[in-house]
Amino acid sequence: MSEDKHSKTEQPTARRLDEAKKKGNIPRSAEMTTTITLFTAIVTLYSSGGFMFSTLKNMSRDILSNIGTYEVTSAGAYSLMLKQFLILLIVLGPFVLIVMLAGIVSSISQGGLIFSTEKLAFDLTKLNPLNGMKKLLNKESAFQVLKSFVKIAIVGYVAYRILQQEVNDVIYLVERDIQGIVEFVSHLSYKIVLHTCGVMLILAVVDLAFVRWRFIENLKMTKQEVKDEHRHAEGDPQVKGKIKQMQFEQARRRMSKIIPTADVVITNPTHYAIALKYDRETMAAPVVIAKGIDFLAQKIKEMAREHKVMLVENRPLARELYATVKEGEPIPESLYAAVAEVLAYVYSIRGKV
């Protein structure tokens, strides 16, 4: 049975979020990036505009004052163009670099640096004009158009209100010189742009919150999807049970071959069981050939009884052997004395028998 959107009430899991990031699906607000970039450009231009303007003015003055001294040759033209290009690079380079960095940092801060090749993969369906028309005529496109109109209306209203406040001063421009007119226009432009950026920043914050909310909403899951996700992450209980059963059977078959060769099984007596084997001719020290706790320990003891292998209770030694020695490894020197005492006891009993 198909599940509608209303049945997706569960928050997306970490795995679902990671898959979305790998596909390049990141909740980024284009409005936020654009606004921060524009605001950075305006602040940079305002703070360094005087230097840029004076440098360009001096460059133009230098060209015009020395116009008669330039050689009208390809080498002279090349030298002049190179000189002016370097000046423009010094003047505009830092400005362009700062604006570019602002855009990059704004984009990365919203979702990190994610590089996905999936969106770059070649897909013939992307060349289908019908698919392109569907993208232009869907709800998402209509919403983006509506959002743009609302933003333009709000920003336009703010600009209109500022112009309305300054309209009385426009009348007195006829009494000012060119420098006064330029200063007034610059002041008015900066005021409009600054207030506009403030409004756009507020709209960008709202848009970012909406984008993140919609991102989570689109990734929400049904209760069954969450269960399937956990089952996939942790493993199907039935499959895990079968694997454990197979592992136990393999361990049981292996122990059924090696337990009969043990010299002694040291117990806790209920929770731990460690089977030891020692051959003076081939081994430098006793070796732990099998060990187990709880259920597996009971099985080791059962096999030991079946094959007449002696069980010796020594709780501290059993715990120490289980914790420090792996199966197939010899015991450490620190346990030589304790194990030797156990083996001596076993050998003495066997000697009596």
Side-chain angles (χ1 to χ4, degrees):
M1 184 179 67
S2 62
E3 296 172 312
D4 57 13
K5 183 178 180 180
H6 297 288
S7 63
K8 295 187 176 184
T9 57
E10 305 302 312
Q11 293 294 319
T13 60
R15 184 168 178 268
R16 174 68 68 90
L17 294 173
D18 289 339
E19 289 178 350
K21 287 184 178 181
K22 290 179 181 178
K23 295 178 181 178
N25 187 10
I26 304 295
R28 288 194 177 105
S29 171
E31 303 294 338
M32 179 62 74
T33 303
T34 302
T35 302
I36 291 179
T37 303
L38 179 60
F39 184 77
T40 303
I42 293 171
V43 172
T44 305
L45 187 62
Y46 180 78
S47 59
S48 62
F51 165 75
M52 296 170 64
F53 179 75
S54 62
T55 303
L56 294 175
K57 182 174 68 174
N58 292 334
M59 181 183 72
S60 301
R61 180 184 300 164
D62 181 66
I63 293 174
L64 295 175
S65 61
N66 299 312
I67 193 170
T69 61
Y70 295 125
E71 298 180 2
V72 187
T73 60
S74 58
Y78 174 78
S79 177
L80 178 61
M81 291 179 60
L82 181 60
K83 179 181 178 181
Q84 307 312 318
F85 174 77
L86 291 176
I87 295 175
L88 289 175
L89 184 63
I90 294 173
V91 173
L92 301 178
F95 171 76
V96 174
L97 183 61
I98 291 173
V99 173
M100 289 178 59
L101 287 176
I104 294 173
V105 171
S106 173
S107 180
I108 293 176
S109 63
Q110 295 182 58
L113 184 61
I114 304 295
F115 179 76
S116 175
T117 59
E118 185 166 333
K119 291 189 176 182
L120 300 177
F122 182 73
D123 188 359
L124 289 175
T125 58
K126 295 180 180 179
L127 302 178
N128 190 341
L130 293 178
N131 292 337
M133 291 297 294
K134 290 179 181 179
K135 290 182 179 180
L136 292 175
L137 301 177
N138 58 15
K139 293 181 180 180
E140 177 67 20
S141 299
F143 174 76
Q144 293 297 333
V145 172
L146 179 62
K147 186 172 67 173
S148 298
F149 276 119
V150 171
K151 183 177 69 173
I152 292 173
I154 295 175
V155 172
Y157 176 75
V158 172
Y160 168 75
R161 292 289 298 175
I162 294 174
L163 286 173
Q164 193 177 38
Q165 295 173 3
E166 301 288 341
V167 69
N168 293 329
D169 295 334
V170 175
I171 301 174
Y172 299 101
L173 288 179
V174 295
E175 300 176 359
R176 298 189 181 184
D177 55 7
I178 296 178
Q179 184 176 357
I181 295 174
V182 171
E183 290 178 354
F184 175 80
V185 172
S186 300
H187 168 74
L188 181 60
S189 301
Y190 179 74
K191 187 176 181 180
I192 292 174
V193 171
L194 188 62
H195 283 76
T196 300
C197 282
V199 174
M200 290 179 63
L201 184 60
I202 296 174
L203 295 176
V205 172
V206 174
D207 182 69
L208 178 61
F210 175 76
V211 167
R212 291 184 174 178
W213 172 82
R214 187 176 57 180
F215 173 77
I216 297 297
E217 286 294 314
N218 292 335
L219 292 180
K220 275 189 174 181
M221 308 167 68
T222 62
K223 295 182 183 297
Q224 185 60 41
E225 286 177 336
V226 174
K227 291 180 180 178
D228 293 341
E229 188 100 344
H230 289 313
R231 185 180 295 113
H232 182 273
E234 300 175 0
D236 193 325
Q238 295 181 353
V239 175
K240 290 174 67 177
K242 290 181 179 179
I243 293 175
K244 286 184 178 180
Q245 185 178 0
M246 292 175 61
Q247 291 175 342
F248 174 74
E249 290 296 328
Q250 291 176 356
R252 190 184 65 80
R253 286 195 294 269
R254 182 179 61 84
M255 287 191 300
S256 65
K257 296 179 180 179
I258 62 176
I259 295 298
T261 66
D263 293 313
V264 64
V265 172
I266 302 176
T267 65
N268 189 31
T270 56
H271 298 294
Y272 293 83
I274 294 89
L276 294 176
K277 180 178 177 61
Y278 180 54
D279 187 342
R280 296 178 180 178
E281 296 181 358
T282 60
M283 297 178 181
V287 175
V288 174
I289 59 175
K291 67 177 184 177
I293 59 173
D294 297 330
F295 183 75
L296 189 57
Q298 299 301 323
K299 289 297 180 181
I300 292 175
K301 289 189 287 186
E302 288 178 9
M303 293 181 185
R305 293 189 186 98
E306 290 177 4
H307 296 87
K308 310 300 182 183
V309 177
M310 184 173 291
L311 300 176
V312 176
E313 179 182 338
N314 190 322
R315 298 186 181 186
L317 182 58
R319 289 178 177 271
E320 187 70 18
L321 286 170
Y322 186 86
T324 58
V325 186
K326 296 180 180 179
E327 291 183 350
E329 292 185 355
I331 64 172
E333 294 183 5
S334 59
L335 298 178
Y336 277 3
V339 173
E341 183 179 347
V342 172
L343 290 176
Y345 170 75
V346 172
Y347 294 154
S348 65
I349 297 296
R350 286 180 179 176
K352 291 180 181 179
V353 176

